[in-house]
Amino acid sequence: MFHLSKQELQKGMAGHTAQEIYQQPEVWKESLSIFKERKEEIYNFLNSIYLKHEKVRVILTGAGTSAFAGDILVPELQKQDQGNIQFEAIATTDIVSNPTNYLFKDTPTILVSFARSGNSPESLAAVKLAADIIDHFYQVNITCNPQGKLAINTKNNENSLTILTPEKAHDQGFAMTSSFTSMMVICYLVFSKDATANEKLQTVIANGERLVEDLVSVIEEVLSHDMERIVYLGSGSLGQFAHEAALKMLELSAGKVVAVHESSLGFRHGPKSILKDKSIVVLFMSQDAYTRKYDMDMLKELSGEPKDIKTVALTEIADEEVKKYANWTVVVNSGKQLLGNDFYLSLLYALFAQILALKKSIQLGITPDNPSPDGSVNRVVQGVTIYDFE
């Protein structure tokens, strides 16, 4: 996988992470099947809540990568005609530290928890706080671990629904990869009003199967530039996705590569100061024609920088103008069917960000499956004290 032999993967302790990145198109296919099998049950559960209340608040929550899943999904879900449903993304880390800022007694609320292990102290505490504070409280858990406390605690609870991702999406590597994208796919299917979701996901899967083979060559070219800093930019949902891309590089390089994120427009407002020689900027281009104008302006501006800066532009379809200004252009959709929104694009862009981080980690001599052997950061967060709330 990714131009790495089995021996190299074992020696570099990269086998879990590489496999979990590579398997994602298959995991998306399985996620789609899981949803289809439980579709009637899921819709019956949600509709019983929607019909009971004039307005329902749906909070997508998690910590770290799991929180970013909600950040990416909410802009796409909220712009669809959802009637009496209001979507918000709030991290468990914010809910737990400031519950009265985010949880309201008289507002019927569905808390959608994204969780790989289901044992994160913040995830469990956020649920308890919400149950204690909100009069009409419901849960949807989208988790990879049937033995996690989040899943076990909701058994036989009529106000709760737990949806398990495919078994192989329960990542064993340190960084969340297939767990992240599979949870997003399931959540989008559960809450979206997109009638073309099945068809569009088939297009995503087909392109994903190609990209896990084809991306490595361009990524190796990018890594031949001895980068010390990397910036990920995007707009809207892709600006939120840039946060996850930066975290993957930070995690898998054990902090040796400075990795930051910003929106395409926001980058000029101070964060652009981070650019030095040997910097790389990755721009996630939107498929929306209006939004894309702002991404394009930033790409043009970066191409004129006097510093030794390289740019990588990811785009849905081939674009000669993008190719003119970027050092590397990555086209993620080779078919005739356009995807139609940036959520679908984020799944394909994720493959690039994850493979880039994996290959950089190995280049630096770090072990991607456990990039922090000293235990300063852990696969399931440790060292969190949860205080009683009164």
Side-chain angles (χ1 to χ4, degrees), residues 332-345:
V332 299
N333 186 359
S334 63
K336 295 180 180 179
Q337 173 70 57
L338 295 179
L339 294 174
N341 73 37
D342 286 343
F343 164 69
Y344 295 122
L345 269 186

Side-chain angles (χ1 to χ4, degrees), residues 52-231:
K52 198 181 299 182
H53 306 287
E54 288 186 11
K55 184 177 181 180
V56 177
R57 190 174 180 227
V58 179
I59 299 175
L60 308 190
T61 194
T65 292
S66 295
F68 305 153
D71 292 335
I72 294 161
L73 283 159
V74 162
E76 293 298 341
L77 293 174
Q78 192 57 40
K79 74 182 183 185
Q80 299 172 12
D81 183 10
Q82 298 280 6
N84 65 334
I85 311 164
Q86 173 72 34
F87 290 93
E88 298 176 52
I90 307 170
T92 55
T93 46
D94 290 329
I95 292 172
V96 170
S97 59
N98 297 274
T100 56
N101 287 8
Y102 304 108
L103 305 176
F104 309 123
K105 175 181 172 63
D106 298 325
T107 305
T109 301
I110 302 172
L111 191 71
V112 182
S113 296
F114 295 110
R116 175 171 63 175
S117 72
N119 292 318
S120 164
E122 294 99 336
S123 291
L124 300 171
V127 169
K128 184 179 186 305
L129 285 164
D132 290 344
I133 292 171
I134 301 167
D135 284 344
H136 298 285
F137 172 64
Y138 310 92
Q139 288 183 78
V140 174
N141 298 319
I142 302 176
T143 181
C144 307
N145 184 11
Q147 303 306 317
K149 292 178 183 177
L150 204 59
I152 290 172
N153 291 349
T154 55
K155 286 183 177 178
N156 304 317
N157 182 339
E158 63 180 14
N159 289 332
S160 300
L161 179 70
T162 293
I163 306 170
L164 296 172
T165 64
E167 184 178 354
K168 65 178 69 169
H170 188 193
D171 297 335
Q172 299 306 299
F174 174 84
M176 290 177 64
T177 53
S178 62
S179 55
F180 163 66
T181 56
S182 65
M183 288 192 292
M184 285 207 301
V185 166
I186 288 174
C187 186
Y188 187 79
L189 289 167
V190 167
F191 289 102
S192 173
K193 300 298 183 185
D194 182 356
T196 66
N198 181 73
E199 180 186 358
K200 295 293 177 61
L201 281 170
Q202 296 297 345
T203 300
V204 168
I205 290 164
N207 280 287
E209 290 170 343
R210 174 184 60 83
L211 288 169
V212 292
E213 303 292 349
D214 293 352
L215 282 173
V216 66
S217 295
V218 68
I219 283 171
E220 288 178 343
E221 286 185 33
V222 172
L223 291 178
S224 67
H225 181 74
D226 187 22
M227 66 173 176
E228 297 175 353
R229 302 180 178 195
I230 188 165
V231 178

